[in-house]
Amino acid sequence: MSTFQERLAAKGRELQELYRSLYGIDGSGLIELLERKHGERKAELLELDRRREADPSWYLKPGMLAMTMYTDLFAGSFKGIIDRIGYLKKRGVTYLHLMPFLATPDNDNDGGFAVSDYSAVNPAFGTNDDLEELADRLRDEGISLCMDFVMNHTSDEHEWAVRAKEGDVKFQRMYMCYPDRTIPDEYEKTVPEVFPSTAPGNFTWCPEMGKWVFTSFYPKQWDLDYSNPDVFLAVLSYMLDWANRGVSIFRLDAVPYIWKKLGTTCRNLPEVHVIVRMLRLAFEIAAPSVILKGEVVMAPKELAAYFGSSDAPECHLLYGVSTMVNIWGALSSQEARLLESWVERILMLPRTCRFVNYVRCHDDIGWGFDEDREKELGIDPLRHKIFQYSFYEGTFPGSYARGQLYNYDPSTLDARSCGTAASLSGLEEAIQRNDTALVERAIGRIALIHAVVFALPGIPLINSGDEIGQLNDYEYIFSPGKKDDSRYLHRSPFRWDLAELADDPETIQGRISSAIEALHRARETMPEFDDDAEVSTWHTGNSSVFALRRQSGGRTLLCVFSFSDKEEYCRFDYFTGYYRDVFTGRTVEPGRGFSVRSHEYLYLEESRE
Ligand code: GLC
């Protein structure tokens, strides 16, 4: 248990040095900000700071279960969520990630990712006090609130942008604005496009200002200029305010993009890491119960840097994007070798590097596999990508998936995929065809992919609606602000009518939710899921079958996942004796080998008898 002054004494110097290295000015304003915001923290949060300082890996307890959702889609408002806390508790949720909930323009706001006021919630969801009440009530129930903090850009309706448009140079300096194409054209030579078909180019002409503005994402999302210390201080100040209202996890949206430099891709630059390290230090000093989760949708080789080093940690958690991609890749191709090598790579990272693992989130699936590994396996990266998005679009012969393409780029043949977990796993097609055997298979796939997520180190995250097998919603095409963005296919109102069926084990919803609940229960109760367990992949002798071995406290758990659509055989060298599946009680001898049904998964516990 330490005081603000003690933490400042221990960490303030590094923070000030980093600040000076980046901005060339002294950081006394920054320290004053921390002191002021810490002084505004209420008693319950100071108490939480104390508890979490004493237990710094609180967020890695095996019982942690995250859920992500849009406030309006789940329950209309913050008060609506308060009324539904019982549902979250029933599902075992301990970490609630709310998609962006700050004020945005009414339409065309990129699902809330175009923020027009960092200090106010979207009035449609309630008031700032309602949000605080929600955070309080969640905390009382042992649920931590995660806020999506859109730090790379604001909406062009944010006050800073409005003042910039009016010609105020101070506010133009919050963004990256250029009078002609000279510098933008230079940037365009090296900066890739995020949305090549829906928002091509990285600059937008602003007629009011008579300048080009850097817009990595949509034209209405103006990139902030973090080389201006006023931007950093303002953003940090807002984050501390939300932490003081009870947010305890920040998802740093699009963090790799926050620093730009001519001649580079403007992604993952060293200065990004300086800023993330500064955020980490700032929270450790002023609000130490807060943790940072980076949204880093980048090539696998870039990810580890966002954890920083043991001496200078950055994010506590990262979004497990590549794991998600590799799980879907294995499911369609019935081939788990890329998944296995990806998981091997993350298991080699230091223990402090932990991911939030999920099957689906609010975004698309971008087919970013490890190209070197693909080539080693004789897989042509482009053809593989085309296979994946065609499969999940449902156009590949024999595909069971119902999804849509996202940002198809005819010049590179790149595309990503959208759709809910259930629709991509074949449930939509099965229901349409009224075929119970196909429904069975789809449920099997949905359970399988969640079983992988729950077996990995880190925190499992469920995308609200997936726990009841919610299908795609095609209504978005009738909405002008959404129709060109197929991510809205899987962003639809939570189906409370279907959620009610989840208590009946005979229903599709009951089958899926009870499978997920059983995974959560295993994870929560079995010592093999302790965060300090030794985890490794294990060869199965069958490239469709993926396996993980977890060992802790002298106990071994072997988790086996078949991605095949037919019966397969697998064998585990160096395993002796009998193992028993915690879900079905089935007993096998891994060393001698056994067969697995299509899409079967087993959590095999060493049998002590
Ligand atoms: C992140 C979000 C995505 C959004 C983008 C721009 O990648 O996950 O939904 O479009 O940032 O804010």
Side-chain angles (χ1 to χ4, degrees):
M1 196 170 98
S2 61
T3 63
F4 175 83
Q5 289 306 334
E6 283 163 352
R7 297 194 297 269
L8 184 61
K11 300 168 198 266
R13 198 186 160 131
E14 183 193 348
L15 179 57
Q16 295 214 56
E17 277 169 8
L18 290 172
Y19 188 82
R20 182 185 288 281
S21 74
L22 207 57
Y23 297 124
I25 52 173
D26 116 298
S28 48
L30 168 58
I31 302 302
E32 274 161 31
L33 174 72
L34 299 186
E35 191 152 18
R36 200 169 63 245
K37 296 296 174 190
H38 176 264
E40 290 165 14
R41 243 165 128 62
K42 58 186 176 184
E44 303 92 291
L45 293 176
L46 294 172
E47 170 54 26
L48 188 67
D49 288 343
R50 273 192 286 276
R51 280 211 310 274
R52 289 185 176 173
E53 265 201 288
D55 181 17
S57 48
W58 62 271
Y59 57 97
L60 295 173
K61 297 273 178 297
M64 280 295 269
L65 176 60
M67 186 173 270
T68 181
M69 60 176 60
Y70 285 92
T71 301
D72 50 343
L73 298 180
F74 183 70
S77 64
F78 301 129
K79 284 203 181 300
I81 301 181
I82 292 176
D83 294 339
R84 302 291 191 173
I85 289 179
Y87 178 81
L88 302 178
K89 292 283 288 177
K90 191 164 158 192
R91 296 278 161 251
V93 173
T94 57
Y95 162 151
L96 179 65
H97 167 197
L98 291 185
M99 299 307 297
F101 53 69
L102 296 185
T104 57
D106 284 345
N107 287 310
D108 208 0
N109 56 33
D110 187 21
F113 285 96
V115 174
S116 51
D117 186 349
Y118 281 126
S119 69
V121 299
N122 183 338
F125 303 166
T127 62
N128 287 5
D129 288 343
D130 293 343
L131 187 271
E132 184 166 350
E133 189 190 341
L134 170 62
D136 289 344
R137 297 285 296 277
L138 289 171
R139 195 168 50 252
D140 293 344
E141 297 292 342
I143 303 175
S144 299
L145 178 62
C146 171
M147 173 181 189
D148 222 305
F149 202 90
V150 190
M151 65 181 301
N152 176 67
H153 43 263
T154 72
S155 144
D156 67 349
E157 293 182 25
H158 189 283
E159 193 200 341
W160 300 340
V162 172
R163 305 276 292 270
K165 286 184 204 171
E166 288 165 2
D168 190 326
V169 178
K170 177 169 181 278
F171 289 95
Q172 291 184 359
R173 286 192 52 241
M174 306 290 268
Y175 302 95
M176 305 186 68
C177 310
Y178 305 96
D180 57 41
R181 286 294 308 182
T182 318
I183 296 180
D185 284 346
E186 277 305 302
Y187 273 115
E188 292 292 14
K189 288 181 187 160
T190 54
V191 183
E193 294 165 308
V194 180
F195 298 139
S197 66
T198 48
N202 285 289
F203 290 84
T204 299
W205 174 249
C206 172
E208 293 96 322
M209 212 165 42
K211 289 188 176 171
W212 291 94
V213 191
F214 210 122
T215 52
S216 301
F217 293 85
Y218 284 109
K220 286 172 166 291
Q221 291 165 310
W222 288 17
D223 286 46
L224 288 165
D225 184 356
Y226 277 85
S227 72
N228 175 353
D230 291 348
V231 169
F232 174 74
L233 290 179
V235 165
L236 174 61
S237 169
Y238 288 124
M239 291 177 84
L240 287 163
D241 284 339
W242 290 113
N244 284 351
R245 289 214 180 242
V247 167
S248 69
I249 304 164
F250 283 98
R251 174 184 180 274
L252 305 178
D253 182 58
V255 63
Y257 298 81
I258 61 174
W259 196 273
K260 322 285 194 288
K261 194 168 160 195
L262 274 175
T264 71
T265 59
C266 296
R267 317 273 202 260
N268 312 307
L269 294 177
E271 292 83 354
V272 171
H273 293 284
V274 175
I275 292 175
V276 180
R277 175 71 187 141
M278 289 202 295
L279 291 177
R280 170 95 181 222
L281 287 166
F283 280 106
E284 282 180 355
I285 295 169
S289 55
V290 169
I291 61 169
L292 304 176
K293 171 174 66 163
E295 189 231 3
V296 183
V297 185
M298 290 289 144
K301 64 177 183 331
E302 305 288 354
L303 295 184
Y306 285 85
F307 289 112
S309 63
S310 55
D311 294 339
E314 295 177 22
C315 293
H316 298 76
L317 293 166
L318 285 193
Y319 234 37
V321 186
S322 297
T323 305
M324 183 254 314
V325 170
N326 278 289
I327 289 173
W328 288 104
L331 190 65
S332 53
S333 62
Q334 306 182 43
E335 179 26 272
R337 284 178 301 173
L338 281 172
L339 171 64
E340 181 186 66
S341 30
W342 168 247
V343 173
E344 262 164 25
R345 277 180 71 172
I346 53 175
L347 293 177
M348 278 179 329
L349 294 172
R351 274 172 190 281
T352 45
C353 304
R354 288 293 185 238
F355 290 84
V356 173
N357 299 305
Y358 56 92
V359 161
R360 291 297 291 116
C361 69
H362 70 292
D363 272 333
D364 49 290
I365 307 173
W367 298 107
F369 294 102
D370 178 344
E371 290 204 2
D372 294 337
R373 184 65 184 136
E374 285 179 299
K375 286 177 192 151
E376 272 168 30
L377 293 173
I379 299 169
D380 178 88
L382 182 61
R383 289 180 60 185
H384 183 207
K385 188 180 284 187
I386 296 171
F387 162 70
Q388 293 296 352
Y389 65 66
S390 314
F391 188 91
Y392 286 110
E393 192 194 14
T395 50
F396 192 86
S399 164
Y400 46 73
R402 288 282 179 274
Q404 289 183 347
L405 297 188
Y406 179 64
N407 271 278
Y408 173 67
D409 182 348
S411 63
T412 58
L413 297 181
D414 187 38
R416 313 175 212 164
S417 304
C418 291
T420 67
S423 290
L424 296 179
S425 300
L427 189 60
E428 189 172 323
E429 188 210 33
I431 291 175
Q432 270 165 7
R433 289 170 60 168
N434 202 9
D435 184 325
T436 43
L438 292 185
V439 167
E440 281 308 300
R441 300 195 70 114
I443 293 174
R445 293 186 198 106
I446 296 168
L448 166 76
I449 54 184
H450 281 93
V452 177
V453 158
F454 277 74
L456 291 166
I459 304 178
L461 171 132
I462 296 173
N463 190 34
S464 166
D466 283 351
E467 77 280 18
I468 52 165
Q470 219 166 293
L471 303 180
N472 292 338
D473 182 345
Y474 297 88
E475 290 293 306
Y476 77 95
I477 50 167
F478 302 112
S479 168
K482 300 180 178 163
K483 66 176 180 23
D484 296 322
D485 191 333
S486 54
R487 292 177 299 177
Y488 289 98
L489 185 63
H490 52 256
R491 297 174 181 172
S492 55
F494 185 70
R495 292 283 305 270
W496 288 102
D497 55 331
L498 296 183
E500 275 167 25
L501 303 177
D503 288 332
D504 178 352
E506 301 296 315
T507 61
I508 293 173
Q509 294 72 25
R511 299 272 310 281
I512 297 173
S513 63
S514 59
I516 294 178
E517 202 179 312
L519 293 167
H520 175 57
R521 214 175 314 114
R523 193 176 162 94
E524 193 179 23
T525 53
M526 295 176 66
E528 294 91 332
F529 282 101
D530 281 355
D531 187 60
D532 60 7
E534 285 295 331
V535 188
S536 51
T537 59
W538 208 267
H539 286 294
T540 64
N542 184 325
S543 68
S544 305
V545 184
F546 172 61
L548 281 174
R549 187 188 70 169
R550 305 190 64 107
Q551 284 190 313
S552 179
R555 299 168 66 120
T556 301
L557 182 75
L558 180 62
C559 304
V560 181
F561 312 92
S562 171
F563 283 91
S564 174
D565 68 1
K566 55 182 187 349
E567 185 166 309
E568 298 285 344
Y569 182 79
C570 53
R571 209 189 73 211
F572 298 84
D573 291 338
Y574 312 113
F575 272 78
T576 51
Y578 290 89
Y579 280 70
R580 193 174 161 277
D581 179 32
V582 300
F583 305 118
T584 60
R586 177 181 171 195
T587 301
V588 295
E589 258 189 290
R592 286 182 188 265
F594 57 91
S595 55
V596 276
R597 280 177 290 109
S598 162
H599 301 133
E600 184 172 6
Y601 59 90
L602 308 101
Y603 283 8
L604 295 167
E605 216 181 7
E606 199 171 358
S607 189
R608 301 251 150 177
E609 290 121 49

